[in-house]
Amino acid sequence: MAAAVPLPLPVMLLVAVAVMLVGAGAGAAGVRGGRQRQQQLRMGFYDKSCPAAERIVGDYVRLHVRRVPTVAPALLRTHYHDCFVRGCDGSILLNSTAAGAAEKDAPPNLTLRGFDLIDRVKGLVEEACPGVVSCADVLALAARDAVAAIGGPSWRVPTGRRDGTVSTMQEAVRELPSPSMTFPQLVALFAGKGLDVRDLVWLSGAHTIGIAHCSSFADRLYSYPSAGNGTGTVPPLDAAYAANLRQRKCRMGGRDAAVEMDPGSFLTFDLGYYHTVLKHRALFRSDAALVTDAAARADIAGVVSSPPEVFFQVFARSMARLGAVEVKTGSQGEIRKHCAVVNS
Ligand code: HEM
Ligand SMILES: *[C@@H]1O[C@H](CO)[C@@H](O)[C@H](O)[C@H]1NC(C)=O
Ligand SMILES: *[C@@H]1O[C@H](CO)[C@@H](O)[C@H](O)[C@H]1NC(C)=O
Ligand SMILES: CC(=O)N[C@H]1CO[C@H](CO)[C@@H](O)[C@@H]1O
């Protein structure tokens, strides 16, 4: 795909639709700079070595998402965090050890959930084919299947990722975007992962599902109502909405209270998030920052005035790109036996 040339949104959408029509799906072929690595991830990597793997993951995830739908946002976020620190190598799943604190225990990660589920489904996969399927692939597949199970988009997950053996809290703090970042800061962080402005805009759409704790956006409730300089100034949270959060949700439960990011449809993958962004009701400064860029704002306006399938398409395409960030393949890393510990 001609991903290197910035295309106007309608053209990009036509391209995306055309790709769908020829049956290639929202593939990962457009991952820039990851060409050699990308060649080694492939669809159905386990078709011969563990033909049941993808079905085991899918069945288990669908069963649990039906019972506990909030697992879907948790898995999606965990996969994203995994990919942003040391690439999608399952390092987010490692427990801290006597030698040091792991990514899991970094402040931005403390609210991640879904580790147990991954450990259990990996256990089932290990029973079927010991030592074959990586934790990184289990997480990538589980995130995709969980989002699809709540009626969200699906995307192609080529497999063959290998598991990393290193996970440090310090790196997670450094690599992960903070909710108080401005647009240029976010763009720079994403660029460092080979992801472009549109990936930032569409992947942020993941906030159409899930919850946030008041501590994550307290900066916008109690002080610094706006941030940035000149045209980059991030607009404050809608005053009435902020007052409501201050006086109710975030008052009763304090910093640990959880708020739906897309109120009323926080388990439905829809356009609600972008509507909250446009109404200045998105919780994080990093969400509000998206409309401080004229091109990003125009892209968002285009998507909210289109059928949800259009958002699904662009989200799926960016997810495929995210899932290929700095992956380890071939003989790199290992296939962990337990996702929480490196092999001895
Ligand atoms: C652009 C930079 C991003 C920032 C600054 C950011 C920040 C955050 C924060 C602070 C939370 C709330 C955590 C809490 O208080 O419990 C959150 C939740 C969430 N984020 Fe992001 N995020 C970003 C991008 C993404 C991306 C790319 C994805 C996935 C593709 C994603 C998926 C989610 C999901 C699904 C939740 C809800 C989790 C749950 O309900 O357990 N985020 N994000
Ligand atoms: C990893 O840590 C969790 C939570 O502390 C614990 O329940 C689990 O048993 C640990 N896993 C391993 C394999 O040590
Ligand atoms: C705004 O600009 C001033 C001076 O250039 C700088 O000190 C300050 O950190 C900037 N604020 C933000 C939020 O970027
Ligand atoms: C929301 C949350 O759990 N925040 C915690 C993040 O991590 C720091 C230090 O590890 C804790 O002090 C916070 O309470």
Side-chain angles (χ1 to χ4, degrees):
M1 283 215 249
V5 186
L7 298 172
L9 180 68
V11 176
M12 196 182 78
L13 295 178
L14 280 177
V15 171
V17 170
V19 168
M20 276 302 275
L21 288 178
V22 298
V31 176
R32 193 178 321 142
R35 202 172 172 77
Q36 305 136 312
R37 292 189 298 266
Q38 186 55 28
Q39 272 170 353
Q40 296 173 61
L41 285 189
R42 60 170 206 268
M43 293 303 291
F45 182 84
Y46 301 112
D47 279 356
K48 291 216 165 58
S49 57
C50 190
E54 297 205 17
R55 185 182 46 75
I56 294 172
V57 175
D59 286 351
Y60 193 86
V61 166
R62 279 185 289 277
L63 186 73
H64 283 265
V65 168
R66 209 172 300 137
R67 296 214 300 244
V68 186
T70 55
V71 142
L75 288 174
L76 178 59
R77 184 168 185 235
T78 302
H79 175 45
Y80 146 64
H81 277 206
D82 185 32
C83 294
F84 256 66
V85 189
R86 296 192 160 257
C88 320
D89 70 345
S91 53
I92 189 76
L93 303 169
L94 288 169
N95 276 2
S96 294
T97 63
E103 290 166 28
K104 242 184 205 181
D105 292 321
N109 292 354
L110 282 180
T111 49
L112 288 173
R113 297 171 288 122
F115 295 119
D116 295 359
L117 185 146
I118 294 296
D119 288 347
R120 286 196 303 270
V121 73
K122 165 70 171 174
L124 296 178
V125 174
E126 282 294 296
E127 270 172 35
C129 357
V132 173
V133 182
S134 68
C135 294
D137 278 341
V138 169
L139 178 55
L141 293 165
R144 189 263 318 265
D145 293 343
V147 169
I150 57 164
S154 187
W155 54 92
R156 286 159 62 93
V157 178
T159 41
R161 294 168 190 75
R162 307 267 300 175
D163 294 326
T165 53
V166 177
S167 177
T168 73
M169 176 173 144
Q170 292 84 347
E171 264 179 333
V173 172
R174 200 171 53 231
E175 306 281 314
L176 286 167
S178 133
S180 57
M181 281 183 172
T182 60
F183 191 78
Q185 290 173 319
L186 292 165
V187 169
L189 246 166
F190 272 63
K193 307 292 165 193
L195 299 172
D196 63 21
V197 176
R198 287 208 163 100
D199 295 318
L200 166 64
V201 172
W202 305 136
L203 292 175
S204 294
H207 291 170
T208 191
I209 55 171
I211 48 118
H213 292 83
C214 293
S215 53
S216 297
F217 53 90
D219 56 347
R220 302 183 78 217
L221 295 185
Y222 305 108
S223 56
Y224 316 114
S226 61
N229 283 316
T231 52
T233 301
V234 177
L237 200 56
D238 170 79
Y241 189 53
N244 188 311
L245 290 167
R246 259 195 312 266
Q247 285 152 23
R248 299 177 52 175
K249 290 256 185 224
C250 295
R251 184 164 178 195
M252 322 267 242
R255 296 169 62 83
D256 295 335
V259 176
E260 297 177 2
M261 291 193 286
D262 175 13
S265 69
F266 84 112
L267 288 172
T268 309
F269 213 99
D270 58 13
L271 294 166
Y273 165 77
Y274 292 113
H275 285 292
T276 70
V277 170
L278 294 173
K279 287 189 297 194
H280 302 305
R281 289 182 169 213
L283 294 175
F284 311 135
R285 196 180 281 165
S286 56
D287 298 318
L290 300 180
V291 292
T292 64
D293 178 80
R297 195 171 56 232
D299 280 350
I300 291 173
V303 147
V304 297
S305 59
S306 308
E309 290 72 31
V310 172
F311 168 45
F312 280 26
Q313 291 263 334
V314 289
F315 182 81
R317 181 171 169 279
S318 287
M319 277 310 297
R321 287 160 57 78
L322 175 66
V325 168
E326 295 166 17
V327 292
K328 298 176 174 64
T329 53
S331 58
Q332 296 172 304
E334 62 179 19
I335 302 296
R336 242 178 263 151
K337 287 192 185 63
H338 299 283
C339 293
V341 285
V342 298
N343 296 342
S344 49

Short mmCIF file of all heavy atoms in Angstrom, two decimals, residues 215-256:
data_model
loop_
_atom_site.label_atom_id
_atom_site.label_comp_id
_atom_site.label_asym_id
_atom_site.label_seq_id
_atom_site.Cartn_x
_atom_site.Cartn_y
_atom_site.Cartn_z
N SER A 215 -7.79 9.19 38.45
CA SER A 215 -6.39 9.62 38.57
C SER A 215 -5.76 9.87 37.20
O SER A 215 -4.82 10.65 37.09
CB SER A 215 -5.59 8.55 39.33
OG SER A 215 -5.77 7.29 38.71
N SER A 216 -6.29 9.21 36.15
CA SER A 216 -5.69 9.35 34.82
C SER A 216 -6.01 10.68 34.14
O SER A 216 -5.36 11.06 33.17
CB SER A 216 -6.14 8.21 33.91
OG SER A 216 -5.70 6.97 34.41
N PHE A 217 -7.07 11.36 34.62
CA PHE A 217 -7.40 12.65 33.99
C PHE A 217 -7.63 13.74 35.03
O PHE A 217 -8.21 14.79 34.72
CB PHE A 217 -8.61 12.51 33.05
CG PHE A 217 -9.82 11.88 33.70
CD1 PHE A 217 -10.77 12.66 34.33
CD2 PHE A 217 -9.99 10.50 33.67
CE1 PHE A 217 -11.88 12.08 34.94
CE2 PHE A 217 -11.10 9.90 34.27
CZ PHE A 217 -12.05 10.70 34.91
N ALA A 218 -7.12 13.51 36.23
CA ALA A 218 -7.30 14.49 37.31
C ALA A 218 -6.73 15.85 36.91
O ALA A 218 -7.25 16.89 37.31
CB ALA A 218 -6.63 13.98 38.58
N ASP A 219 -5.67 15.82 36.07
CA ASP A 219 -5.06 17.09 35.66
C ASP A 219 -6.07 18.00 34.96
O ASP A 219 -5.92 19.21 34.97
CB ASP A 219 -3.83 16.83 34.77
CG ASP A 219 -4.13 15.99 33.54
OD1 ASP A 219 -5.22 15.38 33.48
OD2 ASP A 219 -3.28 15.93 32.63
N ARG A 220 -7.08 17.40 34.33
CA ARG A 220 -8.05 18.23 33.60
C ARG A 220 -9.25 18.60 34.46
O ARG A 220 -10.12 19.36 34.03
CB ARG A 220 -8.50 17.51 32.34
CG ARG A 220 -7.30 17.19 31.45
CD ARG A 220 -7.73 16.56 30.17
NE ARG A 220 -8.24 17.54 29.22
CZ ARG A 220 -9.25 17.31 28.40
NH1 ARG A 220 -9.89 16.17 28.44
NH2 ARG A 220 -9.64 18.24 27.55
N LEU A 221 -9.31 18.07 35.66
CA LEU A 221 -10.46 18.39 36.52
C LEU A 221 -10.10 19.47 37.53
O LEU A 221 -10.94 20.29 37.89
CB LEU A 221 -10.91 17.14 37.30
CG LEU A 221 -11.47 15.98 36.51
CD1 LEU A 221 -11.97 14.90 37.46
CD2 LEU A 221 -12.59 16.44 35.60
N TYR A 222 -8.87 19.43 38.00
CA TYR A 222 -8.55 20.27 39.15
C TYR A 222 -7.56 21.39 38.87
O TYR A 222 -7.45 22.32 39.64
CB TYR A 222 -8.02 19.38 40.28
CG TYR A 222 -9.01 18.27 40.62
CD1 TYR A 222 -8.74 16.96 40.28
CD2 TYR A 222 -10.23 18.58 41.22
CE1 TYR A 222 -9.66 15.95 40.57
CE2 TYR A 222 -11.15 17.58 41.50
CZ TYR A 222 -10.86 16.27 41.17
OH TYR A 222 -11.77 15.28 41.43
N SER A 223 -6.80 21.27 37.78
CA SER A 223 -5.85 22.34 37.50
C SER A 223 -5.50 22.31 36.02
O SER A 223 -6.02 21.48 35.29
CB SER A 223 -4.58 22.15 38.34
OG SER A 223 -4.05 20.87 38.11
N TYR A 224 -4.63 23.19 35.59
CA TYR A 224 -4.18 23.23 34.21
C TYR A 224 -5.31 22.89 33.23
O TYR A 224 -5.24 21.89 32.52
CB TYR A 224 -3.04 22.23 33.98
CG TYR A 224 -2.00 22.22 35.06
CD1 TYR A 224 -1.82 21.11 35.87
CD2 TYR A 224 -1.21 23.34 35.28
CE1 TYR A 224 -0.88 21.11 36.87
CE2 TYR A 224 -0.27 23.35 36.29
CZ TYR A 224 -0.10 22.23 37.08
OH TYR A 224 0.82 22.23 38.08
N PRO A 225 -6.34 23.69 33.18
CA PRO A 225 -7.46 23.37 32.31
C PRO A 225 -7.07 23.25 30.84
O PRO A 225 -7.69 22.53 30.10
CB PRO A 225 -8.44 24.52 32.53
CG PRO A 225 -7.64 25.60 33.17
CD PRO A 225 -6.53 24.97 33.91
N SER A 226 -6.04 23.94 30.42
CA SER A 226 -5.61 23.75 29.03
C SER A 226 -4.09 23.65 29.03
O SER A 226 -3.44 24.00 30.00
CB SER A 226 -6.07 24.90 28.15
OG SER A 226 -5.52 26.10 28.60
N ALA A 227 -3.57 23.15 27.94
CA ALA A 227 -2.12 22.98 27.88
C ALA A 227 -1.64 23.20 26.47
O ALA A 227 -2.41 23.10 25.52
CB ALA A 227 -1.75 21.56 28.32
N GLY A 228 -0.38 23.48 26.33
CA GLY A 228 0.17 23.70 25.00
C GLY A 228 0.25 25.18 24.70
O GLY A 228 -0.18 26.01 25.49
N ASN A 229 0.78 25.49 23.54
CA ASN A 229 1.02 26.87 23.16
C ASN A 229 0.35 27.19 21.84
O ASN A 229 0.35 26.38 20.94
CB ASN A 229 2.52 27.12 23.03
CG ASN A 229 3.16 27.24 24.40
OD1 ASN A 229 2.63 27.91 25.26
ND2 ASN A 229 4.27 26.58 24.56
N GLY A 230 -0.18 28.39 21.72
CA GLY A 230 -0.71 28.87 20.45
C GLY A 230 -1.68 27.90 19.83
O GLY A 230 -2.60 27.41 20.50
N THR A 231 -1.45 27.56 18.56
CA THR A 231 -2.39 26.71 17.85
C THR A 231 -2.40 25.29 18.42
O THR A 231 -3.32 24.54 18.17
CB THR A 231 -2.02 26.62 16.36
OG1 THR A 231 -0.65 26.24 16.27
CG2 THR A 231 -2.24 27.93 15.64
N GLY A 232 -1.37 24.93 19.17
CA GLY A 232 -1.33 23.58 19.74
C GLY A 232 -2.06 23.49 21.07
O GLY A 232 -2.03 22.44 21.71
N THR A 233 -2.69 24.55 21.48
CA THR A 233 -3.34 24.54 22.79
C THR A 233 -4.44 23.50 22.86
O THR A 233 -5.32 23.46 22.01
CB THR A 233 -3.92 25.93 23.10
OG1 THR A 233 -2.84 26.87 23.08
CG2 THR A 233 -4.56 25.94 24.48
N VAL A 234 -4.37 22.65 23.85
CA VAL A 234 -5.38 21.60 24.02
C VAL A 234 -6.59 22.20 24.74
O VAL A 234 -6.44 22.76 25.82
CB VAL A 234 -4.81 20.42 24.83
CG1 VAL A 234 -5.89 19.36 25.05
CG2 VAL A 234 -3.62 19.81 24.12
N PRO A 235 -7.75 22.10 24.11
CA PRO A 235 -8.92 22.70 24.76
C PRO A 235 -9.25 21.99 26.07
O PRO A 235 -9.00 20.80 26.21
CB PRO A 235 -10.04 22.50 23.74
CG PRO A 235 -9.56 21.46 22.80
CD PRO A 235 -8.07 21.44 22.85
N PRO A 236 -9.79 22.75 27.03
CA PRO A 236 -10.15 22.12 28.30
C PRO A 236 -11.34 21.19 28.11
O PRO A 236 -12.05 21.26 27.12
CB PRO A 236 -10.51 23.30 29.19
CG PRO A 236 -10.85 24.42 28.27
CD PRO A 236 -10.11 24.18 26.98
N LEU A 237 -11.52 20.35 29.11
CA LEU A 237 -12.69 19.48 29.14
C LEU A 237 -13.94 20.37 29.22
O LEU A 237 -13.92 21.39 29.89
CB LEU A 237 -12.58 18.62 30.39
CG LEU A 237 -13.35 17.32 30.53
CD1 LEU A 237 -13.05 16.37 29.38
CD2 LEU A 237 -12.95 16.65 31.85
N ASP A 238 -14.99 19.98 28.52
CA ASP A 238 -16.27 20.68 28.57
C ASP A 238 -16.60 21.00 30.04
O ASP A 238 -16.58 20.11 30.89
CB ASP A 238 -17.34 19.78 27.96
CG ASP A 238 -18.74 20.31 28.18
OD1 ASP A 238 -19.13 21.23 27.44
OD2 ASP A 238 -19.42 19.82 29.10
N ALA A 239 -16.90 22.26 30.32
CA ALA A 239 -17.00 22.73 31.71
C ALA A 239 -18.09 21.99 32.49
O ALA A 239 -17.87 21.58 33.64
CB ALA A 239 -17.24 24.23 31.74
N ALA A 240 -19.24 21.80 31.87
CA ALA A 240 -20.34 21.14 32.58
C ALA A 240 -19.99 19.69 32.88
O ALA A 240 -20.26 19.17 33.96
CB ALA A 240 -21.62 21.22 31.75
N TYR A 241 -19.36 19.05 31.90
CA TYR A 241 -18.99 17.65 32.07
C TYR A 241 -17.92 17.51 33.15
O TYR A 241 -17.98 16.62 34.01
CB TYR A 241 -18.49 17.09 30.73
CG TYR A 241 -18.27 15.60 30.73
CD1 TYR A 241 -19.28 14.73 31.13
CD2 TYR A 241 -17.06 15.06 30.30
CE1 TYR A 241 -19.08 13.35 31.13
CE2 TYR A 241 -16.86 13.69 30.29
CZ TYR A 241 -17.86 12.84 30.70
OH TYR A 241 -17.66 11.48 30.70
N ALA A 242 -16.96 18.43 33.12
CA ALA A 242 -15.88 18.39 34.13
C ALA A 242 -16.47 18.59 35.52
O ALA A 242 -16.08 17.90 36.48
CB ALA A 242 -14.85 19.47 33.82
N ALA A 243 -17.41 19.52 35.64
CA ALA A 243 -18.02 19.79 36.94
C ALA A 243 -18.74 18.54 37.44
O ALA A 243 -18.65 18.17 38.62
CB ALA A 243 -18.99 20.97 36.84
N ASN A 244 -19.43 17.87 36.53
CA ASN A 244 -20.14 16.64 36.88
C ASN A 244 -19.18 15.57 37.40
O ASN A 244 -19.44 14.93 38.41
CB ASN A 244 -20.88 16.17 35.62
CG ASN A 244 -21.82 15.02 35.91
OD1 ASN A 244 -21.42 14.05 36.55
ND2 ASN A 244 -23.05 15.11 35.43
N LEU A 245 -18.08 15.42 36.70
CA LEU A 245 -17.10 14.41 37.12
C LEU A 245 -16.51 14.78 38.48
O LEU A 245 -16.35 13.94 39.36
CB LEU A 245 -15.98 14.29 36.09
CG LEU A 245 -16.36 13.64 34.76
CD1 LEU A 245 -15.28 13.86 33.72
CD2 LEU A 245 -16.63 12.15 34.96
N ARG A 246 -16.19 16.06 38.64
CA ARG A 246 -15.61 16.54 39.91
C ARG A 246 -16.56 16.31 41.07
O ARG A 246 -16.18 15.83 42.12
CB ARG A 246 -15.31 18.04 39.81
CG ARG A 246 -13.87 18.39 39.54
CD ARG A 246 -13.60 19.86 39.82
NE ARG A 246 -14.57 20.76 39.23
CZ ARG A 246 -14.44 21.34 38.04
NH1 ARG A 246 -13.38 21.13 37.32
NH2 ARG A 246 -15.37 22.16 37.58
N GLN A 247 -17.82 16.67 40.83
CA GLN A 247 -18.78 16.66 41.94
C GLN A 247 -19.38 15.29 42.19
O GLN A 247 -19.86 15.02 43.28
CB GLN A 247 -19.89 17.68 41.67
CG GLN A 247 -19.41 19.09 41.89
CD GLN A 247 -20.16 20.10 41.04
OE1 GLN A 247 -21.28 19.83 40.61
NE2 GLN A 247 -19.56 21.24 40.77
N ARG A 248 -19.37 14.44 41.19
CA ARG A 248 -20.00 13.14 41.38
C ARG A 248 -19.02 12.00 41.26
O ARG A 248 -18.38 11.62 42.23
CB ARG A 248 -21.17 13.01 40.41
CG ARG A 248 -22.21 14.12 40.68
CD ARG A 248 -23.32 14.09 39.71
NE ARG A 248 -23.89 12.75 39.64
CZ ARG A 248 -24.95 12.44 38.92
NH1 ARG A 248 -25.56 13.35 38.24
NH2 ARG A 248 -25.41 11.22 38.89
N LYS A 249 -18.86 11.46 40.07
CA LYS A 249 -18.06 10.24 39.88
C LYS A 249 -16.72 10.27 40.60
O LYS A 249 -16.37 9.37 41.33
CB LYS A 249 -17.78 10.05 38.39
CG LYS A 249 -18.99 9.66 37.60
CD LYS A 249 -18.97 8.19 37.27
CE LYS A 249 -20.13 7.84 36.36
NZ LYS A 249 -20.83 6.65 36.68
N CYS A 250 -15.96 11.32 40.37
CA CYS A 250 -14.59 11.34 40.88
C CYS A 250 -14.54 11.82 42.32
O CYS A 250 -13.48 11.85 42.93
CB CYS A 250 -13.70 12.20 39.99
SG CYS A 250 -13.51 11.52 38.33
N ARG A 251 -15.67 12.22 42.85
CA ARG A 251 -15.69 12.65 44.24
C ARG A 251 -15.98 11.47 45.14
O ARG A 251 -15.27 11.21 46.11
CB ARG A 251 -16.76 13.72 44.43
CG ARG A 251 -16.74 14.26 45.83
CD ARG A 251 -17.50 15.54 45.85
NE ARG A 251 -17.57 16.10 47.19
CZ ARG A 251 -18.39 17.05 47.52
NH1 ARG A 251 -19.23 17.54 46.61
NH2 ARG A 251 -18.40 17.51 48.74
N MET A 252 -17.01 10.72 44.75
CA MET A 252 -17.40 9.57 45.56
C MET A 252 -16.26 8.56 45.68
O MET A 252 -15.87 8.18 46.76
CB MET A 252 -18.58 8.85 44.93
CG MET A 252 -19.56 9.81 44.32
SD MET A 252 -20.86 10.23 45.44
CE MET A 252 -22.23 9.59 44.54
N GLY A 253 -15.73 8.16 44.53
CA GLY A 253 -14.71 7.10 44.55
C GLY A 253 -13.30 7.63 44.62
O GLY A 253 -12.35 6.86 44.67
N GLY A 254 -13.15 8.94 44.55
CA GLY A 254 -11.81 9.51 44.55
C GLY A 254 -11.04 9.13 43.30
O GLY A 254 -11.62 8.84 42.26
N ARG A 255 -9.73 9.10 43.41
CA ARG A 255 -8.88 8.84 42.25
C ARG A 255 -9.06 7.42 41.71
O ARG A 255 -8.73 7.14 40.57
CB ARG A 255 -7.42 9.07 42.61
CG ARG A 255 -7.12 10.52 42.97
CD ARG A 255 -5.74 10.68 43.57
NE ARG A 255 -4.68 10.30 42.63
CZ ARG A 255 -4.20 11.10 41.69
NH1 ARG A 255 -4.67 12.31 41.54
NH2 ARG A 255 -3.23 10.68 40.91
N ASP A 256 -9.58 6.53 42.54
CA ASP A 256 -9.74 5.15 42.10
C ASP A 256 -11.08 4.90 41.41
O ASP A 256 -11.32 3.79 40.94
CB ASP A 256 -9.61 4.19 43.29
CG ASP A 256 -8.21 4.23 43.89
OD1 ASP A 256 -7.28 4.59 43.14
OD2 ASP A 256 -8.07 3.93 45.08
#
